[in-house]
């Protein structure tokens, strides 16, 4: 209980992995967690409504842990970031952030503007992605979505969610 409840988890040296075009939502902990790894690329994903946080990083590292690029982060009452973020050995840019309950977003104790001064998310945006119906798991984007204007590529949503087991 309370361990392993992440949507995508790179662990124990997982390196040079491309994590792309996923929709990860309503996880008990968060959408993505990395516990030691190198040069992973997390691109064009939707991370939404994680209960504790959207992203967790558990170790300072002396190399680039991962690159977050062109992702959408959507949440209500949880945190955006959890864990250890003080070494700056990660890159994040061209992402869209939206806290649906409103209020300022906390980037590990920093405002968005302060976070950008650390060279993270310089080209990112805080705005609603305008999902069709996120409460019911419909993360479709209308033509006017700021995510599309930022270069996010729509994900085929026809296969997301629980599936019936294959018959043998």
């Amino acid at each position: 209980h309370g361990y392993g409840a992440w949507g995508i988890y790179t662990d124990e040296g997982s390196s040079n992995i491309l994590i792309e075009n996923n929709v990860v939502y309503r996880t008990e902990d968060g959408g993505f967690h990395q516990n030691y790894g190198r040069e992973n690329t997390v691109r064009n994903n939707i991370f939404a409504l994680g209960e504790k946080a959207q992203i967790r990083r558990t170790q300072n590292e002396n190399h680039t842990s991962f690159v977050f690029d062109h992702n959408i982060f959507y949440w209500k009452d949880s945190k955006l970031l959890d864990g250890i973020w003080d070494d700056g050995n990660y890159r994040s840019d061209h992402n869209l952030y939206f806290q649906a309950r409103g209020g300022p977003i906390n980037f590990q104790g920093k405002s968005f503007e302060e976070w950008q001064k650390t060279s993270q998310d310089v080209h990112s945006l805080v705005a609603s992605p305008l999902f069709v119906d996120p409460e019911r798991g419909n993360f479709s984007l209308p033509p006017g979505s700021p995510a599309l204007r930022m270069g996010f590529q729509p994900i085929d949503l026809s296969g997301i969610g629980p599936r019936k087991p294959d018959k043998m």
Side-chain angles (χ1 to χ4, degrees):
H1 177 71
Y3 177 83
W6 308 286
I8 298 173
Y9 182 30
T10 51
D11 189 17
E12 296 304 320
S14 299
S15 297
N16 301 302
I17 298 171
L18 173 60
I19 299 164
E20 182 176 52
N21 297 325
N22 296 283
V23 179
V24 182
Y25 67 103
R26 296 200 187 283
T27 55
E28 183 181 329
D29 196 306
F32 178 82
H33 178 187
Q34 181 157 311
N35 176 47
Y36 180 68
R38 177 188 293 266
E39 302 292 335
N40 292 314
T41 300
V42 183
R43 178 174 61 210
N44 209 82
N45 300 283
I46 296 171
F47 296 101
L49 303 169
E51 287 185 26
K52 293 182 183 173
Q54 306 318 300
I55 312 169
R56 179 183 297 260
R57 180 177 186 257
T58 50
Q59 292 192 45
N60 279 329
E61 302 183 56
N62 62 3
H63 53 264
T64 300
S65 300
F66 47 73
V67 175
F68 272 91
D69 187 49
H70 288 93
N71 297 287
I72 300 173
F73 299 93
Y74 178 93
W75 71 103
K76 284 187 176 181
D77 299 316
S78 60
K79 296 189 271 184
L80 171 60
L81 306 175
D82 196 18
I84 301 170
W85 296 85
D86 55 346
D87 67 0
N89 289 335
Y90 48 86
R91 300 291 166 260
S92 187
D93 206 2
H94 301 98
N95 298 298
L96 184 72
Y97 298 98
F98 187 66
Q99 186 173 14
R101 72 171 162 81
I105 298 174
N106 181 335
F107 289 82
Q108 286 300 98
K110 296 176 176 66
S111 69
F112 183 56
E113 292 77 18
E114 292 167 331
W115 178 254
Q116 288 178 308
K117 289 178 184 175
T118 68
S119 298
Q120 301 296 338
D121 288 300
V122 173
H123 303 98
S124 296
L125 183 64
V126 173
S128 174
L130 306 175
F131 289 134
V132 170
D133 192 355
E135 292 304 314
R136 292 197 171 111
N138 186 344
F139 296 98
S140 299
L141 296 167
S145 171
L148 299 173
R149 289 194 309 269
M150 291 184 63
F152 184 87
Q153 298 299 308
I155 299 170
D156 178 4
L157 302 175
S158 64
I160 70 167
R163 295 166 189 78
K164 294 181 182 178
D166 292 335
K167 294 183 181 181
M168 298 186 98

